[in-house]
Amino acid sequence: NDPVALLAGPTGTPQEIAQITERLKLDQPIWRQFWEFMVQVASGDLGRSWLSDRPVLDELLDRLPATLEIVLLGALIGTLVGVTAGYFRGWVGGMLMRFTDLMMAFPALLLAICLAAVFQPSLWIVAMVIALVNWVQTARVMFTQTSSLAERRASLAAASTMSASSSGSSGSIAFGSIRISTSSPPPFALNRSN
């Protein structure tokens, strides 16, 4: 399929095809086309859209707010579910992570069809489907990190409790793996008087 013939359409004349070829610089060698494109990109010119005949940068900037909404909504949902599951763990965390697994396995196209059947089809429905399907990776990462922090806190608290109980009345204080003795010397200290 020739892109010039597609742009000219089925009624395109040879003159129109030649004009499009010259305008798109498709009559030049491929290395020169690539070089000129890279020079344009470096200067901020991404070319023109074939569909709207507007600058591509303007098209991207028009769609940036919707893209950021989708990304932020997905990140917010994933963070809330992941942190909640990682903090509470137990049956709450298990249920939230099973729901995450279900959403990970759920086909996005089926969700889009269901939402389009319930609501009027629109760009907002597409954005909602993308956000509802793509939060699961964030939830998994947040769950793992929150669980890791909770386990680390629990193990430090257990080590501190064990250190304090094993020291008895010796007056030693344990901070993680560091022990500070407040009364007697440690049992492995050498007796210098002998």
Side-chain angles (χ1 to χ4, degrees):
N1 290 335
D2 184 17
V4 176
L6 291 174
L7 285 173
T11 60
T13 64
Q15 291 82 12
E16 290 175 339
I17 291 175
Q19 286 175 348
I20 294 171
T21 302
E22 185 179 337
R23 181 172 51 112
L24 296 177
K25 301 177 182 173
L26 296 175
D27 54 350
Q28 298 177 1
I30 192 71
W31 64 267
R32 185 171 179 124
Q33 292 177 37
F34 180 73
W35 175 256
E36 288 184 11
F37 173 72
M38 294 308 291
V39 168
Q40 286 177 340
V41 168
S43 67
D45 179 13
L46 301 177
R48 298 189 74 77
S49 169
W50 288 6
L51 297 175
S52 65
D53 198 35
R54 292 180 56 207
V56 172
L57 187 59
D58 291 346
E59 295 281 339
L60 290 173
L61 291 176
D62 286 348
R63 288 161 176 77
L64 184 65
T67 303
L68 290 176
E69 287 175 10
I70 292 169
V71 169
L72 292 176
L73 180 62
L76 179 68
I77 293 170
T79 300
L80 287 175
V81 170
V83 168
T84 303
Y87 182 78
F88 288 111
R89 293 182 286 188
W91 70 271
V92 173
M95 292 298 290
L96 286 172
M97 293 318 292
R98 293 310 68 79
F99 176 70
T100 302
D101 293 340
L102 177 70
M103 289 304 294
M104 193 177 292
F106 201 82
L109 182 60
L110 183 61
L111 181 62
I113 291 170
C114 291
L115 288 176
V118 173
F119 303 107
Q120 183 177 353
S122 67
L123 190 58
W124 175 246
I125 296 297
V126 174
M128 195 161 56
V129 167
I130 293 170
L132 288 176
V133 171
N134 290 326
W135 61 267
V136 292
Q137 293 84 2
T138 304
R140 282 265 168 220
V141 170
M142 296 307 289
F143 169 74
T144 304
Q145 291 300 318
T146 306
S147 296
S148 172
L149 286 173
E151 288 173 10
R152 187 177 316 149
R153 240 181 54 204
S155 64
L156 284 175
S160 176
T161 303
M162 288 173 45
S163 296
S165 65
S166 68
S167 65
S169 60
S170 67
S172 69
I173 302 170
F175 297 98
S177 61
I178 301 171
R179 180 183 302 258
I180 301 172
S181 179
T182 57
S183 59
S184 60
F188 57 83
L190 296 174
N191 188 351
R192 300 250 178 208
S193 60
N194 290 342

